[in-house]
């Protein structure tokens, strides 16, 4: 795979890209575009560069002389990358300090898939899938010394706009990058076997430039496209669709899709939440009252890049602020990073820049040696889901300055070691970071840095500012100036940030002896009060041998200082989970001392490991007297048995649980009913059924009984469901559970009572009926006889019938409902036709109330809008809803851009049930599938086939059953402010 290896010095002939945007659609002229940008008083914007000097600027960075390097991406076509070798790297310089980049050179061209760049160690590092490569320029003459050197390969070529991207040096001396969710990658050194490679999808990763270690730092969110570090070296990433801001903790597992609750590792029971205390598309007030525009809260959910301003020219109030581009809002959001004694919070501040230019798409931001900031503008009217073409001939770079632009002459590559050390005290972190990396390079070259190290230690010991101490510490670490004894001593330092970094650096360095710090870690876990240091300890545990984690983890988890902060609790669990499996007896002996949530997770992990482990758990439960502990263990056990069969449990297990059904504590009783339904013998089943049907049973207990029986699906379960439906008890839940059965009488009962059901119950009834051939045939007969209206059947339910693979049923469906298949040409025609029919005058006169009702019927089963609906798919409130083309194209052709996690599969069970949804996790024992209505875990031995398609979970034909007026009403609601 030599996609990038043709990088050459620029030739005499300039490449002229071809626009694919529709004729007549083009951005504003640069002079007019800049006039439409608004920044706070005191700031000035200069047009630093524009087409044709720069186009498609996807990434920027500075060299040690303060020159701006720009990556141009011509291979990106609006939704994916092509193999056309026209991407290139440019060098710009402002020679006179007026803010205009008046000197330009093409460093190399002939690249493709270019998404990121960074400078250091005698060349240019680039992300260009499938490679992380290095373009050497050891003599710094701005001419590549030779072919690119591939350091890593295996980055997915199918990840589209979720590709590997973004490079930046961390304070620890590693090169950090990002990767989105759409397709996983298997990354390793060239030639590595598949089992030697690291699998990753949405994540932050890092690579060491000299010892060549590669690892995933943290995973989750959706598509990270921004990362920076604050004054204390803490990383923060920005992303889209989900909350926008996350504190980077090594070993973290962040939410991938809100409320989906499924992680590729089946034992990550809860993922970590965001740092931001707000959304850029709503607030509680907006959701409750529908009285505010998305723009009022920051513009939308699509974010790009992150820059924490640590320059020395802007007002002090901006120092430490995080800036990120809001694509839909055509603005730059600003968050203040706030922390007291606990975790960080991203607090919304006034937006820094607002553009009245519909083509403004900020992609990258960097502050330079002068303390001012360059911002790149992709200059297009679409974004990552744009499928109407790309305006490749445009692109702008703006310089935002406090007052007039200035020039700072600098060439850090010529600085002495002593000067580089002095730069660690500079007020502009640009100097700090570049000087630190150069010291690291000189160490790698074998230079004697003993005097520099002594000077750095002097700064550490004498300087009163903790940020300056940290700068000295990072420079010492990355340039080989730290020994394990001194670093271990820092674990007792009086500053929490120093202790935090001492923990991180001790476990980072593979050469240090663990004996030097494990005992101290255990002491710190018992006595440490700082949330920051406790989080660092929890993070470090994942880098320590499983056999040596237990004592530290127990102290961290059981420290009696009130409720454990949720993300810290989750981090402790990620480290402790493998230990639980390795020694269940020891874990159970200590289980009562753990917090409630970890206790429940421990029971779940033990219960899911093996029948023997489950028996150990139940035996411990039988000898426990504390009601809260019994309830926690039972609830954890219930979580663990979702894919186990009754035959796996001994009679004694069922007896233990059955005795708890009459327990004095309500939590225990409810959990015991649910567990007894799965594990009990005949007497246990009778008692559970009594609880299910007794008039005096409370709703919670009745639901627990139904849940347990649904998991077991015992003989006669269809009659239980029929009784519930006829008596109007838990009707929706009973209909959901009915999909496990293939019972003629139950199907007839549901059809006969269909007209009496509530709207949400009708949806559940149809989901049940379309799950199998026989019931689907009966449903189609009811539609043909007009007993049930064809309009009741949604596009997704129609697709479910189609997936049954029965040609006779497919023919009948086509007759009563319509077709599910359209050619690409038909979709294009439908999109254009619908855009014409939805002109502004028709949208303006539509009924928002009727549109909201249609949204709840058509879309709310998967999407949230203004607080209504479910989170199976992306929240729509922050999407690009005011762009008619965006809405129409995504509704008419929802499968044009589908993340791997959301591609549709048709799953056939051994008992004839067909499920249509996204497979979100597969293990040896089970498969978890997300349908349009629920998340279902199935034992592997009950699955006959799984057919992966290229389709989205969102079905085609969503609008086919709607009239022109209904379509107008729906789109009016989708494009509204919610009132």
């Amino acid at each position: 795979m030599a996609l990038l290896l043709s990088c050459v010095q620029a030739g005499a002939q300039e490449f002229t890209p071809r626009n694919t945007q529709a004729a007549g659609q083009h951005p504003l002229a640069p002079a007019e575009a800049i006039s439409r940008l608004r920044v706070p008083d005191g700031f000035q914007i200069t047009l630093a560069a524009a087409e044709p000097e720069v186009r498609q600027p996807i990434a920027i960075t500075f060299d040690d002389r303060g020159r701006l390097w720009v990556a141009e991406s011509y291979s990106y076509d609006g939704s994916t990358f092509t193999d056309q070798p026209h991407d290139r790297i440019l060098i710009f310089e402002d020679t006179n300090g007026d803010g205009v980049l008046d000197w330009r050179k093409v460093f190399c061209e002939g690249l493709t898939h270019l998404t990121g760049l960074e400078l250091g160690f005698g060349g240019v590092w680039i992300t260009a899938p499938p490679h992380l490569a290095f373009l050497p320029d050891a003599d710094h003459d701005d001419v590549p010394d030779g072919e690119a050197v591939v350091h890593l390969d295996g980055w997915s070529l199918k990840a589209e706009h979720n590709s590997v991207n973004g490079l930046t040096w961390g304070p620890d001396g590693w090169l950090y990058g990002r990767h989105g969710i759409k397709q996983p990658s298997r990354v390793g050194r060239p030639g590595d076997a598949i089992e030697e490679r690291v699998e990753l999808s949405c994540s932050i990763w890092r690579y060491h430039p000299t010892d060549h270690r590669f690892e995933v730092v943290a995973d989750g969110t959706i598509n990270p496209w921004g990362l920076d570090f604050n004054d204390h070296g803490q990383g923060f990433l920005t992303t889209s669709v989900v909350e926008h801001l996350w504190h980077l903790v090594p070993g973290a597992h962040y939410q991938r899709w809100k409320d989906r609750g499924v992680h590729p590792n089946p034992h990550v029971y809860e993922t970590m939440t965001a740092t931001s205390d707000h959304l850029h598309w709503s607030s509680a007030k907006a959701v409750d009252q529908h009285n505010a525009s998305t723009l009022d809260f920051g513009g939308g959910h699509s974010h790009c890049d992150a820059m924490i301003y640590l320059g020395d020219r802007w007002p002090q109030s901006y120092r430490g602020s995080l800036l990120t581009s809001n694509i839909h809002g055509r603005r730059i959001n600003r968050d203040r990073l706030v922390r007291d004694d606990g975790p960080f919070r991203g607090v919304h501040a006034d937006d820094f820049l607002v553009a009245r230019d519909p083509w403004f798409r900020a992609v990258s931001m960097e502050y330079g040696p002068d303390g001012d900031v360059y911002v790149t503008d992709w200059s297009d009217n679409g974004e990552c889901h744009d499928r109407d073409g790309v305006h490749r001939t445009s692109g702008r770079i703006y310089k935002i300055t406090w007052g007039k632009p200035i020039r700072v002459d600098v060439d850090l590559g010529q600085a002495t070691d002593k000067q580089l050390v002095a730069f660690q005290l500079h007020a502009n972190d640009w100097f700090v970071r570049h000087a630190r990396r150069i010291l690291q390079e000189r160490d790698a070259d074998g230079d004697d840095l003993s005097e520099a190290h002594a000077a750095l230690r002097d700064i550490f010991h004498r300087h009163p500012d903790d940020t300056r101490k940290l700068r000295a510490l990072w420079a010492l670490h990355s340039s080989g100036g730290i020994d394990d004894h001194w670093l271990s001593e820092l674990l007792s330092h009086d500053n929490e940030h120093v202790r935090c970094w001492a923990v991180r650096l001790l476990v980072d360095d593979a050469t240090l002896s663990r004996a030097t710090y494990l005992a101290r870690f255990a002491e710190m876990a018992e006595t440490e009060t700082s949330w920051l240091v406790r989080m660092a300890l929890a993070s470090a545990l994942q880098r320590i041998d499983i056999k040596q984690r237990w004592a530290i983890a127990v102290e961290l988890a059981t420290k009696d200082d009130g409720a454990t902060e949720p993300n810290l609790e989750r981090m402790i669990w990620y480290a402790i989970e493998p230990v639980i499996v390795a020694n269940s007896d020891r874990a159970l002996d200590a289980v009562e001392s753990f917090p409630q949530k970890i206790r429940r997770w421990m029971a779940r992990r033990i219960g899911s490991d093996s029948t023997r482990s489950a028996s150990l758990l139940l035996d411990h439960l039988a000898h426990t007297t504390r009601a809260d502990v019994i309830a926690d263990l039972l609830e954890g056990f219930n979580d663990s048995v979702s894919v186990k069969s009754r035959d796996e449990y001994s009679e004694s297990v069922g007896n233990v649980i059955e005795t708890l059904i009459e327990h004095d504590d309500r939590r225990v009783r409810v959990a015991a009913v649910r567990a007894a339904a799965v594990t009990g013998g005949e007497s246990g089943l009778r008692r559970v059924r009594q609880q299910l049907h007794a008039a005096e049973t409370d709703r919670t207990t009745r639901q627990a009984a139904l849940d347990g029986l649904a998991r077991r699906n015992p003989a006669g379960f269809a009659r239980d469901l029929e009784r519930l439906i006829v008596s109007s008890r838990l009707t929706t839940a009973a209909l959901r559970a009915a999909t496990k059965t293939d019972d003629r009488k139950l199907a007839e009962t549901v059809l006969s009572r269909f007209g009496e059901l509530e709207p949400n119950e009708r949806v559940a009834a149809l989901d049940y009926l379309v799950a199998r051939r026989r019931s689907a045939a009966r449903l189609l007969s009811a539609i043909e006889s007009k007993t049930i209206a064809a309009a009741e059947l949604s596009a997704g339910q129609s697709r479910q019938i189609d997936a049954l693979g029965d040609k006779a049923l497919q023919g009948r469906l086509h007759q009563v409902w319509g077709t599910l298949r359209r050619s690409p040409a038909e979709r294009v025609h439908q999109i254009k036709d619908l855009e014409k029919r939805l002109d502004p005058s028709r949208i303006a006169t539509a009924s928002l109330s009727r549109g909201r009702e249609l949204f709840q019927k058509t879309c709310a089963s998967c999407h949230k809008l203004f607080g209504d609906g479910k989170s199976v798919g992306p929240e729509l409130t922050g999407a690009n809803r005011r762009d008619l083309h965006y809405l129409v194209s995504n509704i008419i052709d929802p499968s044009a851009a589908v993340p791997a996690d959301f591609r549709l599969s048709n799953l056939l069970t051994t008992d004839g049930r067909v499920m249509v949804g996204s497979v979100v996790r597969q293990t040896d024992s089970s498969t978890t599938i997300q349908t349009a209505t629920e998340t279902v875990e199935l034992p592997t031995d009950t699955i006959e086939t799984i057919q992966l398609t290229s389709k989205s979970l969102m079905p085609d034909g969503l609008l086919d059953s709607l009239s022109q007026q209904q379509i107008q009403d729906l789109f009016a609601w989708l494009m509204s402010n919610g009132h």
Side-chain angles (χ1 to χ4, degrees), residues 13 62 144 253 321 533 547 553 638 757 894:
Q13 186 69 35
F62 283 97
H253 302 299
S321 293
V533 182
K547 296 178 182 178
N638 283 334
L757 300 178

Side-chain angles (χ1 to χ4, degrees), residues 22 26 79 165 172 179 208 229 302 320 409 477 487 557 636 716 751 809 926:
H26 53 79
S79 61
N165 70 88
D172 50 12
H179 191 291
H208 199 280
F229 299 87
S302 183
D409 290 310
H477 170 74
L487 202 53
L751 285 167
L809 290 179
S926 69

Side-chain angles (χ1 to χ4, degrees), residues 71-267:
E72 290 186 325
S73 174
Y74 298 106
S75 56
Y76 185 66
D77 71 358
S79 61
T80 188
F81 286 85
T82 70
D83 293 339
Q84 297 177 359
H86 298 302
D87 295 351
R88 59 187 181 177
I89 298 172
L90 311 180
I91 311 172
F92 285 95
E93 185 176 8
D94 173 8
T95 62
N96 58 17
D98 64 356
V100 177
L101 296 169
D102 52 359
W103 180 90
R104 171 184 178 272
K105 180 178 181 179
V106 179
F107 174 73
C108 73
E109 56 189 7
L111 302 173
T112 188
H113 294 207
L114 183 61
T115 60
L117 84 166
E118 186 54 275
L119 302 171
F121 294 84
V124 186
W125 300 83
I126 61 172
T127 50
H131 304 123
L132 170 70
F134 179 73
L135 307 175
D137 181 21
D139 56 6
H140 302 287
D141 65 350
D142 302 334
V143 178
D145 295 341
E147 296 287 358
V149 178
V150 176
H151 280 248
L152 298 171
D153 62 15
W155 304 102
S156 173
L157 292 171
K158 300 178 180 179
E160 300 182 1
H161 56 276
N162 279 214
S163 184
V164 60
N165 70 88
L167 293 173
T168 188
W169 294 109
D172 50 12
W174 291 61
L175 188 62
Y176 282 71
R178 313 175 296 243
H179 191 291
I181 196 174
K182 197 161 191 180
Q183 281 283 350
S185 295
R186 287 187 174 270
V187 177
R189 300 284 292 171
D192 279 355
I194 192 71
E195 61 271 12
E196 298 175 297
R197 292 176 172 270
V198 177
E199 182 172 358
L200 72 162
S201 59
C202 46
S203 60
I204 301 295
W205 53 268
R206 66 177 186 168
Y207 179 71
H208 199 280
T210 56
D211 66 22
H212 309 306
R213 284 181 286 163
F214 171 77
E215 64 185 34
V216 174
V217 180
D219 68 68
T221 77
I222 295 295
N223 187 21
W225 201 277
L227 172 66
D228 202 358
F229 299 87
N230 73 358
D231 239 344
H232 291 101
Q234 298 295 324
F236 294 86
L237 60 140
T238 56
T239 187
S240 297
V241 182
V242 292
E243 288 87 342
H244 66 281
L245 182 65
W246 308 73
H247 175 213
L248 181 63
V249 179
H253 302 299
Y254 302 115
Q255 291 177 347
R256 293 181 169 230
W257 199 281
K258 190 170 180 61
D259 295 337
R260 293 188 79 205
V262 176
H263 189 275
N265 179 346
H267 307 305

